[in-house]
Amino acid sequence: LRPDRVRRERLFRLLERGASGRLVVLVATAGFGKTTLVADWLSETKRASAWVSVEPGIEGAGELFACLDASVGHALGSGGSAPAAALPEALALSIASRLEDSGRPLALVIDDFHRADKAAAGRAAARLAEHLPPGSCLILAGRSDPSFPAARLRARGELEEIGAEELRFTAAETREFLSRAELPLLSDEDASILGSRTEGWVAALQLAVLALRDGRDPRAFLEAFGGTSRPVYD
């Protein structure tokens, strides 16, 4: 975690509420701070967790849930228990059973879930969420909605959905972010304009900070800064 990060108490409360259910889904495009938010919340709450990021080589649902099983084993101090070539939904049930038997609640995090095999991984995630013991929760973070029916969990109040609107920096969070950047030439009015032009997208704010550290005039920079700026567009 970066020491200069903005602590997002309002989103911690949403995660805490979601953790009291079964499933939390964070969906937004790149650069909205999904990974940082979850990591910061886990650090703040001292909640035990098992974390898997979907990297190249584990896009298949079977590999993904075998990795999650291994991560759960590491968190529980018991090693992996998944049989070779087990089906994703069978692995999901096995993970839920291990947590039930251990009596130790965990937050299970799958980051970059959009990279996984959507149909198979979605079915396995839904099965896992529905069978988790009390106190444990599943957190899925990605750039697109997971493809599984969540109506039952939503109707029971066991699903917390956090999207781009919630993840956008508020005016207060933007001011805190910019104050930590220590840009001497940036006025309060400039900071307000920058927050409005970036629409609370933290990646764009970071790009602006990097550019303004070169000592360029903030007002001239802000007039040219937007979605067509090369770094932002990339």
Side-chain angles (χ1 to χ4, degrees):
L1 290 168
R2 295 170 58 100
D4 61 347
R5 68 191 180 279
V6 174
R7 295 181 68 261
R8 312 189 72 186
E9 296 285 355
R10 62 184 179 87
L11 296 181
F12 287 176
R13 289 193 290 272
L14 292 182
L15 285 168
E16 201 62 38
R17 185 172 70 187
S20 66
R22 293 179 180 273
L23 177 63
V24 181
V25 176
L26 296 94
V27 176
T29 53
F32 270 97
K34 301 180 293 294
T35 301
T36 300
L37 171 64
V38 176
D40 201 8
W41 170 70
L42 290 172
S43 175
E44 175 77 14
T45 60
K46 310 298 183 191
R47 188 180 293 269
S49 64
W51 185 303
V52 172
S53 297
V54 184
E55 302 289 352
I58 61 169
E59 294 94 338
E63 294 91 340
L64 171 58
F65 280 85
C67 287
L68 183 60
D69 179 78
S71 185
V72 167
H74 178 74
L76 298 176
S78 59
S81 68
L87 295 174
E89 291 185 56
L91 285 168
L93 291 175
S94 174
I95 291 168
S97 178
R98 292 183 73 187
L99 291 172
E100 179 78 51
D101 293 343
S102 73
R104 294 177 57 193
L106 290 181
L108 309 180
V109 182
I110 304 180
D111 199 13
D112 289 324
F113 191 67
H114 62 280
R115 292 177 176 167
D117 177 343
K118 276 204 163 187
R123 288 192 300 269
R127 182 65 61 90
L128 174 57
E130 290 183 352
H131 288 84
L132 283 174
S136 290
C137 66
L138 175 62
I139 300 172
L140 305 177
R143 299 181 188 177
S144 58
D145 289 313
S147 59
F148 60 81
R152 183 161 53 185
L153 291 171
R154 188 181 291 114
R156 293 199 302 240
E158 296 177 336
L159 168 63
E160 186 71 34
E161 296 169 283
I162 302 173
E165 285 307 310
E166 291 80 17
L167 290 164
R168 293 183 197 280
F169 268 26
T170 64
E173 289 169 338
T174 298
R175 285 195 299 271
E176 181 180 349
F177 180 85
L178 294 173
S179 69
R180 290 170 184 264
E182 298 180 348
L183 299 171
L185 299 178
L186 194 69
S187 69
D188 289 343
E189 182 184 0
D190 292 334
S192 179
I193 293 172
L194 184 56
S196 176
R197 298 204 71 171
T198 57
E199 299 178 354
W201 181 33
V202 66
L205 282 169
Q206 179 67 11
L207 289 170
V209 165
L210 292 174
L212 288 167
R213 279 179 176 159
D214 292 343
R216 66 185 73 186
D217 175 60
R219 187 53 57 90
F221 169 79
L222 289 172
E223 288 176 357
F225 185 74
T228 56
S229 300
R230 178 61 183 270
V232 177
Y233 183 81
D234 286 345

